[in-house]
Amino acid sequence: MPALVIPSPGSPAHARATDLRDGPSWLDAPYPVLVLDADGTLADLNPAARHVLAGRGEEKGARRDGVPAWLADAHRGLTDGAGAPVAAPPAAGEIAGRFFEAHPGPAADGSATWWLVDATGRHEAERSLRGARRQAEIRARVSSTLLSSLNVPRCAEVATQTASEHLADAALLVLPPVGRRYAVTHALRGGRAVHTSRRIDPRDVPGLAEALQGYPPVPARWIDPAALPEWVVPAGFDGAVGSVIVAPLPGHGVPAGALVLLRSGTEEAFTADEEEFARLFAARAGAALSAARLYSEQSAITTTLMRELLPPTLENVHGVDYAGRYRAASDHERIGGDFYDVHAGADSSRETFVVLGDVAGKGLEAAVLTGKIRNTLHALLPLASDHEQVLTLLNGALLSSHHTRFATLVLACVRRADDGRVRLRLTSAGHMPPLIVRADGRVEEAATHGTLVGALPSISVRTAEEWLAPGETCLLYTDGITEARGGPLGDELFGEHRLRQALRECAGMPGEAVVERVQMLAAQWLGTGTHDDMATVAVSAPRTARR
């Protein structure tokens, strides 16, 4: 008898399918083999195929003869409408929990021999790879989305919405308590995040109290969904809770909160891989929330400190008009080394103390020393009438500090006389003398000078007395105005002569207009060039008395 050749998987069987069963190869074939007639009826199968189909039981989609539905559909596609065989790719599907590829060997009479190749390992590997890629995409999306915002409520919204979309049917994010209240953000799949503030006992939820303290999560199988309090299940959750995950949100040194994931009873329970992915997701969310919280705290501290360092808003005090303008060296900064203050007298019979100063340097370090000088001068207000004593005490305070910077200042004591004129006592400590704009357009320099503070063991100053008639202004300014470098070629200083010319054109203007014009001209002269801090203060005698 001639030797029987068994077709390899995917090769056509030219002999009749029944010929395949002759000989020992049919019994010893390493692959499950099924023979289907032209109408798709199971004609025969080898022992390996019988073993595979026997494990199906009452599997959904199986025919009475045991042929899986996906294989029967593929068999019907082997012939065209006229019954002629056509080329077809391998079919694939599950049998008894295993994944098989079916390679056809069609015959001329419409029957076919189907070789089944167990591809479960490769199928699981591909599915795991797809899952890993999906998780990586989710983590990358979460990281980019969460880190794009430094707002704590916004980070909580993104975290809960993303978790409800990819990990569970609903997600809750519980932040560390503030007092006795907990900020809770929850979101349903496809819905918006909702913020609430609750007084809760985290011990009512298994694992939540531990998660809020940063302890590792308990396995989901240890949590009884029926024991959850009502506040955990968001309104609109479909059905009963089937499984729960409680994961900590690790922060920068301290826990950032906890994440609670809910899956309905109609869905499959969380697998070990899903629990691991939930922990990785919570780690990303915790890092983002911790960064947002740290930024919020630092921003609040900065705002509080900035409020004390910013120059005050000036107005009319005891019948004298005050106006000031300040521009930091960097456009993205609000404070620097220049400053001014106006301390009103107790009543109109007392002098108002005015100070304008310039600390060496710029930026935050100069602003810190500026704050110290302003606080020291505020403490020395009872001695404000004696400029030399005030400057001597300030000089000693700066020399005894760890700062190595110095400062120049102009002090002024201002009081309005009964006749409408304004009396000024001006003292310069290493600073440019103030300029006085007379009603007729003349610009005079106050006859005061002195040594700077914070550099030498002792200081020497000279105080000048000036009177302002109604409509006249005294301008105090820092060197950021005169040393503004720009012009047509970009390398020329604005200079005192241009400042004096601008002030002559401001004769008769109110102090507010004077400081506005000086700052505008200096800015125009600069163009887009760099500059130092610029501060100006105008003390004006009003043309008419104010109530």
Side-chain angles (χ1 to χ4, degrees), residues 365-383:
E365 292 187 5
V368 171
L369 183 56
T370 293
K372 180 174 182 177
I373 293 175
R374 293 175 67 183
N375 291 335
T376 303
L377 291 174
H378 192 273
L380 296 175
L381 282 179
L383 307 175

Side-chain angles (χ1 to χ4, degrees), residues 10 14 18 29 36 106 156 163 167 209 263 279 289 318 338 388 439 513 515:
H14 298 291
T18 55
L36 302 184
L167 302 178
R263 185 170 285 180
R279 288 194 289 270
L289 280 167
H318 299 324
D338 289 5
E388 185 172 2
V515 295

Side-chain angles (χ1 to χ4, degrees), residues 202-364:
R203 293 172 295 181
D204 293 340
V205 181
L208 180 57
E210 293 79 4
L212 289 172
Q213 297 178 27
Y215 291 106
V218 298
R221 64 182 182 275
W222 291 6
I223 303 177
D224 181 9
L228 295 177
E230 293 183 358
W231 65 267
V232 176
V233 183
F237 187 82
D238 188 15
V241 179
S243 54
V244 185
I245 288 179
V246 179
L249 299 176
H252 298 154
V254 294
L259 180 68
V260 181
L261 303 177
L262 307 177
R263 185 170 285 180
S264 67
T266 59
E267 299 290 334
E268 295 182 359
F270 291 104
T271 64
D273 289 342
E274 288 174 331
E275 289 190 48
E276 179 64 25
F277 180 50
R279 288 194 289 270
L280 294 175
F281 176 91
R284 298 288 180 96
L289 280 167
S290 182
R293 183 177 295 278
L294 180 61
Y295 174 80
S296 298
E297 293 174 353
Q298 291 179 342
S299 179
I301 294 173
T302 301
T303 300
T304 302
L305 296 176
M306 189 81 70
R307 191 181 301 119
E308 297 299 321
L309 293 175
L310 288 174
T313 300
L314 305 184
E315 53 187 13
N316 183 277
V317 178
H318 299 324
V320 180
D321 287 339
Y322 299 91
R325 285 292 179 273
Y326 175 75
R327 181 182 179 184
S330 299
D331 292 335
H332 63 277
E333 295 177 346
R334 300 176 61 192
I335 56 175
D338 289 5
F339 68 95
Y340 57 80
D341 274 312
V342 173
H343 302 279
D347 52 52
S348 59
S349 64
R350 303 293 182 90
E351 291 179 322
T352 295
F353 184 60
V354 182
V355 56
L356 178 139
D358 183 1
V359 173
K362 50 190 174 183
L364 182 59

Side-chain angles (χ1 to χ4, degrees), residues 25-309:
S25 297
W26 173 255
L27 301 176
D28 301 335
Y31 297 106
V33 183
L34 289 82
V35 180
L36 302 184
D37 289 342
D39 58 357
T41 303
L42 179 63
D44 205 350
L45 68 168
N46 70 346
R50 184 175 294 107
H51 176 73
V52 170
L53 296 182
R56 293 172 58 89
E58 298 295 330
E59 186 173 304
K60 184 179 179 180
R63 298 187 333 192
R64 290 184 178 180
D65 57 5
V67 177
W70 59 268
L71 184 58
D73 293 338
H75 183 77
R76 285 192 293 270
L78 288 180
T79 59
D80 58 13
V86 297
E94 290 190 5
I95 302 177
R98 306 288 292 178
F99 188 82
F100 287 88
E101 288 183 351
H103 298 264
D109 60 357
S111 63
T113 302
W114 289 91
W115 295 78
L116 304 183
V117 180
D118 191 340
T120 304
R122 178 171 58 83
H123 180 70
E124 291 295 331
E126 291 176 350
R127 185 166 60 180
S128 298
L129 180 59
R130 288 193 298 269
R133 287 177 176 173
R134 175 175 171 272
Q135 292 181 4
E137 291 175 357
I138 294 174
R139 289 197 297 268
R141 189 183 314 127
V142 168
S143 297
S144 61
T145 306
L146 287 174
L147 295 177
S148 64
S149 174
L150 290 175
N151 179 274
V152 174
R154 176 56 183 159
C155 283
E157 289 179 9
V158 173
T160 52
Q161 287 178 330
T162 306
S164 62
E165 178 182 354
H166 298 286
L167 302 178
D169 297 319
L172 284 84
L173 195 147
V174 183
L175 296 179
V178 178
R180 296 184 178 182
R181 303 188 70 87
Y182 291 79
V184 180
T185 305
H186 65 264
L188 295 171
R189 178 170 295 175
R192 297 178 58 186
V194 178
H195 298 282
T196 58
S197 178
R198 298 176 178 270
R199 294 188 65 173
I200 63 174
D201 187 352
R203 293 172 295 181
D204 293 340
V205 181
L208 180 57
E210 293 79 4
L212 289 172
Q213 297 178 27
Y215 291 106
V218 298
R221 64 182 182 275
W222 291 6
I223 303 177
D224 181 9
L228 295 177
E230 293 183 358
W231 65 267
V232 176
V233 183
F237 187 82
D238 188 15
V241 179
S243 54
V244 185
I245 288 179
V246 179
L249 299 176
H252 298 154
V254 294
L259 180 68
V260 181
L261 303 177
L262 307 177
R263 185 170 285 180
S264 67
T266 59
E267 299 290 334
E268 295 182 359
F270 291 104
T271 64
D273 289 342
E274 288 174 331
E275 289 190 48
E276 179 64 25
F277 180 50
R279 288 194 289 270
L280 294 175
F281 176 91
R284 298 288 180 96
L289 280 167
S290 182
R293 183 177 295 278
L294 180 61
Y295 174 80
S296 298
E297 293 174 353
Q298 291 179 342
S299 179
I301 294 173
T302 301
T303 300
T304 302
L305 296 176
M306 189 81 70
R307 191 181 301 119
E308 297 299 321
L309 293 175

Side-chain angles (χ1 to χ4, degrees), residues 391 409-411 426-434 448-451 461-462:
L391 292 172
L409 297 97
V410 174
L411 307 183
L426 302 167
T427 302
S428 171
H431 204 85
M432 293 82 64
T448 176
H449 57 78
T451 54
V461 295
R462 175 184 175 184

